[in-house]
């Protein structure tokens, strides 16, 4: 018995070993099969995810370079807004830059890299600026400069920066930006491998401790023309161009052909401006063919230049994206309302509030309020949400709008959500945080589907033009009365040149500047003086 049991035990042990091997093999097969299945499932999930996330881009590819406006030569992390804002937060622009503009921008970037700060060309040019008073007998070379001097509010600055850059593009000058203000705190560098910031030791900035840049400045071009103290035989080493709201026609006409023949010989130009003077550049018969090639669609000038030049710094971009995700991202439709009251006693006024409500309801941008007895009948299970972004120095306007749609339902059943990022009450230009908030609000407005802005407001001009939007412009109230009609829809997305010259250049001398070309017309909000580019119909 013992031997039988011993044999049976051996057999059992052998069978057990075989079973163990069999179970191990089976377990390994199951493990391999599961891994293959999981991998296949993951791949299917990835394919499905990619299909879902790229289905829109297959129909409308994500153009991070904006049709060639932007170069890919930047580090993405150093300025998140440069490549992100084009497709993550706004619909692709229907306005495509011309191939000629794209080519011109790449050529300019190469020129700026050769002539910009910290180059031998720049050092030589600044040395000559200090040393020589007269350049008549000397060759200027390829590096000529125009220095933009900061002044007035952020909206004015952005409009004038775009204007000066376009002039630099037309005349092959290098634009350098006054670095004594907060430009570097709100905007990224626009040109790769170089800087547009004027070095702080630039000699003519030190020179202005004795002389302010105004009409009395010794090298003010308009004053020299008026006094007949400048001619082609005596070319100064620099000129100051005064293009502010108080400029004379002698100042404003610097762009004319006969003036440019002299100004082109001056190596350094200093310009201070607070107006968008782009429309007047079309009056120069030399500039006009070039402008036609750069901007075949004439009301896209600022739209393209702003998207090329102006990229909010990461700190500002954070403000923009946080408010966007919190208040705008999930809405079915968005509306921007920008309110600026041009009065010494500016603040909240009922007639302005009534004007905003009247304009938005007449234009069907906001619904009427429902009568109380209609409330239940108009309720829906999945109401449409419309997000309204209000920007103003005064929070009372958004508070009243918010309460209006909270206390009563809308006649359409829509849910109206109102937000306002800030309410500073006082404009605080040159204070870093204030200017950062202002730029953030301009960009947030530009991301909305429709926009209503105040007349004469450069803040509003920048916002709607960057967004490629044709705004509803609120008429300026007279006294304390609500205008009727309260607003007008613009037919152009270009900013208004608020104080243009009264006439054209030599060939059009004495002719009203608003009647020289069919595409340069009066502004809807500044009818008697402003000029605005329109696309030819």
């Amino acid at each position: 018995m013992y031997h039988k049991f011993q044999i049976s035990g051996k057999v059992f042990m052998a069978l057990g070993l075989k079973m163990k091997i069999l179970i191990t093999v089976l377990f390994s097969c199951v493990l391999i099969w599961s891994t293959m299945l999981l991998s296949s499932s993951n791949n299917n999930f990835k394919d499905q995810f990619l299909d879902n996330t790229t289905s829109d881009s297959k129909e409308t590819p994500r153009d991070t370079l904006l049709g060639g406006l932007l170069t890919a030569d930047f580090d993405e992390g150093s300025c998140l807004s440069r490549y992100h804002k084009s497709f993550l937060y706004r619909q692709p622009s229907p306005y495509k830059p011309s191939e000629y503009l794209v080519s011109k921008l790449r050529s300019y970037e190469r020129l700026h890299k050769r002539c910009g700060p910290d180059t031998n060309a720049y050092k030589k040019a600044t040395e000559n600026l200090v040393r020589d008073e007269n350049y008549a007998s000397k060759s200027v070379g390829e590096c000529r400069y125009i220095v933009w001097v900061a002044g007035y509010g952020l909206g004015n600055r952005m409009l004038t920066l775009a204007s000066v850059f376009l002039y630099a593009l037309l005349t092959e000058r290098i634009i350098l930006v006054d670095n004594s203000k907060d430009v570097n705190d709100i905007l990224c560098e626009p040109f790769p491998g170089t800087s547009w910031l004027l070095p702080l030791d630039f000699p003519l900035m030190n020179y202005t401790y004795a002389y302010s840049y105004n009409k009395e400045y010794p090298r003010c071009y308009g004053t020299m023309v008026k006094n007949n103290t400048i001619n082609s035989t005596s070319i100064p080493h620099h000129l100051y161009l005064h293009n502010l709201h108080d400029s004379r026609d002698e100042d404003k006409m610097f762009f004319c052909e006969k003036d440019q023949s002299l100004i082109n010989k001056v190596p350094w130009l200093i310009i201070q401006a607070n107006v968008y003077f782009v429309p007047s550049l079309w009056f120069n018969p030399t500039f006009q063919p070039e402008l036609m090639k750069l901007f075949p669609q004439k009301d896209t000038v600022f739209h393209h230049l702003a998207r090329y030049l102006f990229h909010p710094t990461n700190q500002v971009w954070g403000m923009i994206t946080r408010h966007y995700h919190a208040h705008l991202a999930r809405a079915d439709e968005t509306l921007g309302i920008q309110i600026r009251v041009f009065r010494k006693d500016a603040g909240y006024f009922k007639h302005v509030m009534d004007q905003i409500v009247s304009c938005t309801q007449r234009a069907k941008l906001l619904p009427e309020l429902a009568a109380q007895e209609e409330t239940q009948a108009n309720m829906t299970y999945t109401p449409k949400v419309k997000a309204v972004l209000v920007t103003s120095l005064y929070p009372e306007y958004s508070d009243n709008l918010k309460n209006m749609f909270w206390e009563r339902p809308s006649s359409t059943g829509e849910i109206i959500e109102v937000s306002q990022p800030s309410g500073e009450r006082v404009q605080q230009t040159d204070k870093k945080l204030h200017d950062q908030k202002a730029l953030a609000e301009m960009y947030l407005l530009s991301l909305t589907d429709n926009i209503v802005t105040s007349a004469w407001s450069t803040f509003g001009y920048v916002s709607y033009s960057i967004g490629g939007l044709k705004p509803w412009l609120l008429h300026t109230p007279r006294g304390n009365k609500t205008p009727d009609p309260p607003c007008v829809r613009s037919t152009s997305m270009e900013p208004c040149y608020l104080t243009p010259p009264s006439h054209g250049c030599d060939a059009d001398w004495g002719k009203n500047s608003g009647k020289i070309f069919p595409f340069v017309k009066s502004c809807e909000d500044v009818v008697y003086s402003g000029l605005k580019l329109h696309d030819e119909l």
Side-chain angles (χ1 to χ4, degrees), residues 135-397:
Y135 273 72
S137 61
K138 294 195 174 183
S139 172
V140 173
E142 74 164 350
C143 298
R144 295 173 303 128
Y145 301 86
I146 183 163
V147 176
W148 173 88
V149 177
Y152 297 84
L154 184 59
N156 300 79
R157 293 180 183 187
M158 294 177 74
L159 293 176
T160 59
L161 262 174
S163 302
V164 174
F165 177 69
L166 179 56
Y167 176 75
L169 212 59
L170 292 169
T171 57
E172 298 184 336
R173 286 184 180 270
I174 303 302
I175 183 174
L176 295 175
V177 172
D178 176 12
N179 194 21
S180 63
K181 306 300 182 183
D182 60 4
V183 172
N184 207 31
D185 294 319
I186 60 174
L187 294 172
C188 302
E189 292 275 4
F191 312 128
T194 182
S195 176
W196 71 341
L197 298 176
L198 182 73
L200 293 173
D201 61 356
F202 180 66
L204 290 187
M205 286 306 178
N206 297 329
Y207 185 57
T208 56
Y209 290 131
Y211 298 97
S212 296
Y213 282 132
N214 55 37
K215 289 180 283 190
E216 283 68 50
Y217 183 72
R219 289 282 178 252
C220 178
Y221 178 70
T223 301
M224 294 175 79
V225 169
K226 189 173 183 178
N227 297 335
N228 294 313
T229 56
I230 186 169
N231 56 64
S232 58
T233 61
S234 180
I235 304 298
H237 56 28
H238 77 280
L239 284 173
Y240 165 59
L241 306 177
H242 185 78
N243 201 350
L244 301 174
H245 56 279
D246 65 345
S247 296
R248 306 150 297 190
D249 270 354
E250 289 88 352
D251 298 301
K252 298 173 186 177
M253 307 303 286
F254 77 92
F255 57 83
C256 288
E257 200 168 23
K258 68 177 180 60
D259 299 83
Q260 284 299 305
S261 63
L262 186 151
I263 290 174
N264 278 339
K265 299 173 185 176
V266 180
W268 288 91
L269 299 178
I270 315 294
I271 186 166
Q272 185 174 203
N274 66 350
V275 288
Y276 180 70
F277 60 83
V278 164
S280 63
L281 298 177
W282 295 75
F283 295 156
N284 183 322
T286 304
F287 290 164
Q288 191 178 124
E290 186 81 352
L291 287 165
M292 294 278 194
K293 289 193 290 182
L294 290 168
F295 306 101
Q297 192 167 348
K298 298 174 187 64
D299 65 347
T300 62
V301 178
F302 188 81
H303 178 62
H304 289 319
L305 293 182
R307 293 187 306 145
Y308 172 72
L309 287 174
F310 305 137
H311 308 287
T313 58
N314 287 351
Q315 186 173 354
V316 178
W317 188 239
M319 295 179 182
I320 295 166
T321 56
R322 283 190 292 275
H323 190 92
Y324 180 88
H325 286 297
H327 300 282
L328 304 178
R330 290 178 291 277
D332 297 293
E333 191 178 338
T334 56
L335 170 66
I337 303 177
Q338 180 263 338
I339 306 162
R340 180 67 190 269
V341 180
F342 291 98
R343 289 173 53 149
K344 289 183 179 179
D345 60 341
Y348 175 79
F349 295 98
K350 187 179 183 303
H351 69 276
V352 175
M353 187 72 224
D354 291 342
Q355 180 183 9
I356 294 161
V357 172
S358 177
C359 171
T360 53
Q361 290 184 340
R362 286 194 196 184
K364 307 299 183 186
L365 299 172
L366 285 178
E368 304 274 345
L369 294 177
Q372 289 294 337
E373 59 270 16
E374 297 174 359
T375 303
Q376 296 300 322
N378 286 339
M379 286 295 290
T380 59
Y381 292 105
T382 54
K384 182 179 177 182
V385 176
K386 179 172 285 188
V388 182
L389 172 74
V390 177
T391 65
S392 173
L393 289 172
Y394 310 101
E396 291 86 352
Y397 292 103

Side-chain angles (χ1 to χ4, degrees), residues 16-29:
L17 183 62
K18 288 180 181 180
M19 286 295 293
K20 187 182 288 186
I21 293 169
L22 181 61
I23 289 169
T24 302
V25 171
L26 286 172
F27 180 77
S28 298
C29 290

